[in-house]
Amino acid sequence: MSSIPVLIAESFDIFDLGLQKILHETPNLIHAGTAKTGKELVKQYRKVPYAVCLISSNMADLNIHEVMQSLRKIQAAPSAIVLTNSADLSHLNQSLKAGVKGYLTKNTPAGELIEAISAVASGEQFFGSFISQLMADKYVDITQKKKPSPRVHITKREKEILNFILDGYTSPEIAKRLYISLRTVETHRSNLMNKLGVKNTAALVRLALEEGEFS
């Protein structure tokens, strides 16, 4: 496995040192530098534009939109993970719109952080287990409060699979839990995407967070 450079954007030493320890103890991860501010991160990113950026949500000088906008001027699709003190669906939504690929709370287990870094470095999105549960709860809350839309009808099985997707499960994991074939899961997933007019899981998550206009 090739090594993954990681940049840390964290203003508090205690969190920075903890993250560095995890990176140093993980063979394929390299600590490429630490920035105390968003502007410092952008400066360091110019030197390692393919690094995964771990960005604290409490950057004082730049918000996540400004940080991501600056990173995109260097690399079209920066690999960025937001680390937050407390789960906030509004901030999560803003972060997704800004283009981040991962979102974790700072009490995330080290193993999950390592998994997130590897996933994001591969171009995938990753949400911490706690965040995934919040998104699933949000979706359920929305569907209970919203009036059914005559334009889109989602079957019971599709809703079941949608909840698993929002919980962060992959198609093989969903197939195993529902005792159905992977091909059946992929068919339901494809139908779901077509009905909701979205092309990927990230868009599906945004729809569940923002709209909830489906029944």
Side-chain angles (χ1 to χ4, degrees), residues 3 5 29-30 64 68 80 113-115 120 123 133 143 152 164 169 174 178 193-194 199 201 210-211:
S3 297
L29 300 183
I30 299 173
I64 191 60
M68 293 302 294
L113 174 62
I114 294 168
E115 186 181 355
V120 168
Q133 185 58 54
T143 55
V152 178
F164 275 116
Y169 288 93
I174 295 172
L178 295 180
M193 299 291 185
N194 289 333
K199 296 181 179 180
T201 302
E210 295 178 342
E211 303 294 341

Side-chain angles (χ1 to χ4, degrees), residues 27-75:
N28 67 311
L29 300 183
I30 299 173
H31 177 222
T34 292
K36 298 296 184 182
T37 67
K39 290 180 180 178
E40 280 185 35
L41 172 64
V42 174
K43 185 177 181 180
Q44 291 192 28
Y45 189 66
R46 288 194 179 95
K47 301 175 183 178
V48 277
Y50 293 98
V52 173
C53 299
L54 301 181
I55 306 173
S56 174
S57 62
N58 61 2
M59 289 287 98
D61 61 333
L62 300 175
N63 62 40
I64 191 60
H65 282 280
E66 293 169 328
V67 171
M68 293 302 294
Q69 186 177 34
S70 296
L71 295 181
R72 277 198 298 271
K73 290 179 180 179
I74 302 168
Q75 171 63 251

